[in-house]
Amino acid sequence: CEPCRKVKAWQQKRELAVGRGSRLGQELRRWEEDCQLLRCEGLFEEYLEMVLQFGFITIFVAAFPLAPLFALLNNWVEIRLDAQKFVCEYRRPVAERAQNIGVWFNILEALSHLSVIVNAFLIAFTSDFLPRLLYQYKFNSSLHGYVNFTLAHAPPSYQHPEYMYCRYKAFRDSDGNYTLFYWELLAVRLGFIIVFEHVVFFLLRVIDWLVPDVPESLELKVKRERYLAKQALADNQDALLLVSRGSASSPASDGSPCNMSERL
């Protein structure tokens, strides 16, 4: 967190100042100023922050559709703060080659699959989309009487003596048992979940197939660099072969009979 990083930086500067002793009044050289910066401890915290944000946004986007907008604004500010942190507060990290982001990609892929299933359940069981659709199909296409249809009558044993009747939102009969409409709606909800996740997963596979991992222009540049590297290696091998042949033939020419007779 930001306060912890500030405290660590202050503590490190204080320890270095105590170690300098009599040189407190002298101007520090650039490498000494850089040594006072915090050591970069890797990108684990940065990856963890982005993965948590991605998980909350994708899993609960149906409950709060404005979450991606706020995440965009947060990331726009966060990228500036991270730039300030890595340039002015951390030492220059040691660069390491990596093929990809490693296990974080698998975590993001698992979160994306989980978010599809969770959003399907949220849409199916927390919204009135499917009950309205089933009521339109079975009873009335204009939804006339839908609100009254969704309210069940409480059993007489649960009613207060001062009130004539009590109604609550459920698909139950007067005895408190589930109606046929409830079981039909449950089947529709489960079917919607299966269809929804299959359609979304199919679209994800189509997008993954249409969008290449490496752009075509970059792939051409990589192939060109490989070709030039092979060509340069082949030219160097030819030059080395000629040099080796020349060095091998020179001792033989010095030891020939004609040369020996000329020397005699």
Side-chain angles (χ1 to χ4, degrees):
C1 62
E2 187 69 21
C4 297
R5 189 168 64 249
K6 295 294 185 183
V7 171
K8 288 182 180 179
W10 173 81
Q11 185 178 4
Q12 182 169 340
K13 289 182 180 180
R14 185 172 178 275
E15 292 176 355
L16 292 175
V18 173
R20 287 202 309 271
S22 60
R23 296 180 54 202
L24 288 176
Q26 299 180 4
E27 184 178 356
L28 296 178
R29 284 174 282 225
R30 181 57 185 269
W31 65 269
E32 291 178 327
E33 294 179 356
D34 293 342
C35 186
Q36 292 183 356
L37 300 178
L38 294 176
R39 185 187 301 272
C40 183
E41 298 178 354
L43 300 176
F44 177 80
E45 297 294 336
E46 307 298 328
Y47 276 116
L48 181 62
E49 181 182 358
M50 291 296 102
V51 167
L52 288 176
Q53 184 189 85
F54 177 80
F56 278 113
I57 291 172
T58 54
I59 292 176
F60 303 107
V61 66
F64 186 53
L66 289 178
L69 176 61
F70 287 107
L72 177 63
L73 297 177
N74 173 78
N75 291 340
W76 183 77
V77 177
E78 185 75 17
I79 192 173
R80 304 298 175 184
L81 296 178
D82 287 344
Q84 173 72 17
K85 177 177 65 177
F86 282 102
V87 173
C88 301
E89 299 182 13
Y90 279 167
R91 301 177 190 175
R92 180 182 297 177
V94 179
E96 297 180 2
R97 295 178 62 89
Q99 186 70 24
N100 47 39
I101 61 176
V103 72
W104 295 106
F105 179 79
N106 298 329
I107 296 174
L108 292 173
E109 189 174 14
L111 285 176
S112 63
H113 287 76
L114 179 63
S115 65
V116 173
I117 299 174
V118 171
N119 282 285
F121 274 92
L122 286 175
I123 296 173
F125 285 93
T126 64
S127 68
D128 288 337
F129 170 69
L130 294 178
R132 288 173 179 269
L133 191 65
L134 185 59
Y135 183 85
Q136 285 180 329
Y137 176 77
K138 289 194 65 177
F139 301 105
N140 195 318
S141 59
S142 62
L143 291 176
H144 180 71
Y146 170 74
V147 176
N148 186 55
F149 180 77
T150 58
L151 299 176
H153 292 272
S157 59
Y158 288 90
Q159 294 182 10
H160 197 273
E162 297 181 1
Y163 300 99
M164 296 295 297
Y165 56 89
C166 178
R167 306 193 68 180
Y168 60 99
K169 189 173 182 180
F171 299 105
R172 295 176 182 267
D173 54 18
S174 57
D175 297 329
N177 299 320
Y178 287 115
T179 61
L180 179 61
F181 186 86
Y182 170 83
W183 300 109
E184 292 175 347
L185 179 60
L186 181 61
V188 170
R189 283 171 171 170
L190 295 178
F192 172 80
I193 292 171
I194 296 174
V195 173
F196 179 84
E197 66 179 20
H198 277 72
V199 170
V200 174
F201 288 152
F202 173 76
L203 293 177
L204 289 176
R205 293 292 179 268
V206 171
I207 294 174
D208 188 25
W209 178 70
L210 292 177
V211 180
D213 296 335
V214 180
E216 185 177 359
S217 58
L218 180 60
E219 189 175 1
L220 290 176
K221 291 181 181 179
V222 171
K223 289 182 179 179
R224 183 176 181 274
E225 289 181 357
R226 289 178 180 175
Y227 172 77
L228 293 177
K230 290 181 180 180
Q231 192 69 25
L233 182 61
D235 295 341
N236 291 333
Q237 287 180 349
D238 293 340
L240 290 174
L241 184 61
L242 291 176
V243 171
S244 62
R245 286 179 179 177
S247 61
S249 61
S250 57
S253 61
D254 292 340
S256 61
C258 296
N259 293 334
M260 294 296 292
S261 60
E262 289 178 0
R263 291 177 182 177
L264 295 174

